Amino acid sequence: MLPATVKNFADVCVKAQFKWDCRQFAEQLSPACKELGDLNATTADDLVSCLMKGELLKKASALYDSYASKDSYLHEAFHFPNFKSWCEATCQSVRTRFEIQNNSKTLPIEQVEYVCGQCEAQSDLDQILYKIL
């Protein structure tokens, strides 16, 4: 998760009443989120605060900040040669998460299909813009 998306993630989790394993995902990103307490009393700001205390997001923030002032693509920030290779790695990660959680039916297959469906260029312009070639 990129630091710039943490607030959006927190808003969605709270509004969705922590469905789709939002809390478990947050706890994996940051052990500080295990101390949230009652989910009904948890605000988006509480969730953002605990997430930003985690080592993974601290490292991601440092990486993100190092690229924030540069004109670069997301895949370049994560040291992938092109968008497609970055997208396919992300797709595989989501597929693995789906396979692990499939028994509990907490991750809709539509989410997996949507993420993986983004890896193919839709036009010649996409190929040029995202260096998919």
Side-chain angles (χ1 to χ4, degrees):
M1 177 183 308
L2 292 173
T5 65
V6 171
K7 176 71 172 136
N8 188 48
F9 171 79
D11 288 340
V12 170
C13 282
V14 170
K15 287 176 184 173
Q17 299 174 339
F18 288 86
K19 292 180 182 173
W20 302 308
D21 291 333
C22 278
R23 182 181 185 134
Q24 292 83 347
F25 182 70
E27 289 174 358
Q28 288 176 356
L29 282 176
S30 175
C33 291
K34 291 179 182 178
E35 300 169 14
L36 280 175
D38 181 16
L39 293 181
N40 293 327
T42 300
T43 67
D45 288 339
D46 296 334
L47 189 53
V48 168
S49 177
C50 77
L51 283 166
M52 295 309 290
K53 291 178 184 174
E55 287 302 313
L56 287 174
L57 274 174
K58 285 180 184 176
K59 289 178 182 177
S61 290
L63 176 65
Y64 184 79
D65 289 345
S66 70
Y67 278 86
S69 63
K70 298 178 183 174
D71 189 13
S72 62
Y73 294 103
L74 182 62
H75 66 268
E76 292 172 333
F78 289 93
H79 307 289
F80 281 88
N82 56 48
F83 173 81
K84 187 172 184 174
S85 60
W86 171 82
C87 187
E88 288 172 347
T90 302
C91 171
Q92 184 56 46
S93 176
V94 171
R95 282 191 194 283
T96 299
R97 181 171 171 231
F98 175 77
E99 290 167 8
I100 291 169
Q101 296 181 349
N102 193 30
N103 292 336
S104 62
K105 305 286 187 219
T106 56
L107 180 66
I109 187 65
E110 293 83 9
Q111 285 182 343
V112 176
E113 291 170 354
Y114 176 80
V115 170
C116 296
Q118 303 305 306
C119 296
E120 294 300 322
Q122 303 300 315
S123 68
D124 291 339
L125 180 60
D126 286 345
Q127 290 184 4
I128 294 166
L129 289 176
Y130 298 112
K131 301 179 184 176
I132 294 174
L133 302 174

